[in-house]
Amino acid sequence: MINEKIQNVLSRLEKDIDYENNHRSEVPSEERLNCISKNIGMFYNIMLKSINAKKILEIGMSVGYSGLWFADAVMSSTQSDGQIITIDREKFKIDQATQNFDEAGVSSLIKIREGEARKILHEIKEEFGENYFDFIFIDADKESYIEYFDLCLPLVRKGGIIGADNILFPERFNEMMTDYLSHVRSNPNVQSVTVPIDNGEEITFKL
Ligand SMILES: C[S@@+](CC[C@H](N)C(=O)[O-])C[C@H]1O[C@@H](n2cnc3c(N)ncnc32)[C@H](O)[C@@H]1O
C-alpha cells in the first residue's frame, strides 16, 4: 500500500511521463523528465522496505518521481529518523520537485541539494562520513557513473545497496554501461546483478 498523498502525486506525474514517452520527438531534450518507470519505482519501493532503508542518497532527481517512491518506503519503515538527500542541477526540475514533495507531504523527509553531483558528493562525504547510507541511487549523467560509484561505495553501509538506472536501455548508453558493469563487478567488495525490468537496474550489494 502506497501512502495516499504520495500516490496522488505519483499518478499525476505518470500522466506526464506517459505523454513524454509517447511524444518523445515533440518534447525538447532539455525539458524531458526522463524518470524511471512505474515498475522500477515499485521494484525499488519493495526493495527499500525489505532492507528497512532509512537513509537514502539519490544522484539525479529530475522532478522527484523516483524520490517519491523512496519516500514512501522510508515512511513505512520509520516515523522519525528517515532522511533522503537528492541531487540535481536543473533549476526548473528543482522547482517542480519542490512543489511535488510539498504536495505529497514529504518535504521534511527529502532534502534537495542543488548543483554539480560530483562536488556535492564530496561535500556529503565530509558531512556524513563513511558507511552512512542504506541505499544510493545513481541516475544522472551516464558518462560519470563509474566516478559516482567510486565516490558512493564508501558512503553506503555494509549490507547497503547501490542501484543504477539505464543499464539496458536506451541503447545509446550501452557502451558506457558495459564499462560500468565491468568496473563494478571487478570489485571484490560487492556482489552485483542486473535486474532486467524496463530500462534495467544494476543492483550492487556492499559486502
Ligand atoms: C534521468 S533524470 C533523473 C530521474 C529521476 N531519478 C527519476 O527517476 O524520477 C537525470 C537527472 O540528473 C540531472 N543531472 C545530470 N547530470 C548531473 C550532474 N552532473 N549533476 C547534477 N545533476 C545532474 C539532470 O538534470 C536530470 O534531472
Side-chain angles (χ1 to χ4, degrees):
M1 203 54 181
I2 306 298
N3 171 286
E4 195 180 335
K5 281 178 89 174
I6 294 178
Q7 183 59 67
N8 288 341
V9 182
L10 286 171
S11 300
R12 174 171 57 71
L13 289 175
E14 278 154 13
K15 291 189 188 129
D16 298 340
I17 294 165
D18 282 349
Y19 181 87
E20 180 174 300
N21 289 338
N22 295 328
H23 302 82
R24 212 155 167 83
S25 57
E26 293 164 32
V27 184
S29 58
E30 66 278 7
E31 286 175 24
R32 287 182 199 149
L33 308 180
N34 292 324
C35 299
I36 56 169
S37 67
K38 182 177 176 180
N39 275 339
I40 292 175
M42 186 66 86
F43 165 74
Y44 279 121
N45 183 269
I46 292 170
M47 189 192 78
L48 294 173
K49 284 173 177 164
S50 312
I51 66 164
N52 200 23
K54 294 181 178 180
K55 291 168 182 154
I56 293 177
L57 173 64
E58 175 177 56
I59 309 166
M61 167 185 71
S62 186
V63 293
Y65 181 75
S66 50
L68 289 168
W69 283 105
F70 303 158
D72 176 77
V74 169
M75 280 164 62
S76 77
S77 80
T78 175
Q79 291 300 316
S80 54
D81 59 345
Q83 183 180 28
I84 300 174
I85 298 172
T86 180
I87 303 171
D88 212 289
R89 62 183 176 191
E90 298 279 353
K91 180 85 175 76
F92 83 95
K93 288 180 179 167
I94 291 167
D95 290 345
Q96 285 187 45
T98 304
Q99 280 180 26
N100 291 333
F101 294 154
D102 201 31
E103 193 181 320
V106 296
S107 299
S108 59
L109 176 64
I110 307 183
K111 299 288 171 243
I112 299 173
R113 301 283 285 252
E114 179 174 358
E116 269 305 313
R118 184 175 298 107
K119 180 169 173 282
I120 293 171
L121 286 174
H122 284 288
E123 291 167 5
I124 284 174
K125 189 170 182 189
E126 290 301 309
E127 279 171 54
F128 298 98
E130 299 196 339
N131 302 307
Y132 185 80
F133 294 96
D134 300 305
F135 172 66
I136 302 182
F137 186 48
I138 303 177
D139 192 18
D141 46 325
K142 310 305 160 193
E143 57 276 11
S144 306
Y145 266 35
I146 290 176
E147 192 181 351
Y148 294 151
F149 178 82
D150 288 344
L151 287 166
C152 288
L153 192 57
L155 298 176
V156 76
R157 68 166 166 88
K158 284 186 181 147
I161 288 171
I162 296 177
D165 189 35
N166 299 110
I167 299 302
L168 302 175
F169 300 105
E171 284 175 358
R172 68 180 184 281
F173 298 143
N174 283 176
E175 209 177 311
M176 282 184 275
M177 293 303 149
T178 303
D179 292 345
Y180 178 73
L181 294 189
S182 30
H183 180 76
V184 169
R185 290 174 187 196
S186 65
N187 188 317
N189 301 315
V190 304
Q191 190 181 352
S192 201
V193 68
T194 301
V195 180
I197 310 174
D198 296 337
N199 283 345
E201 305 304 294
E202 185 69 5
I203 299 299
T204 305
F205 178 81
K206 184 169 169 183
L207 297 166

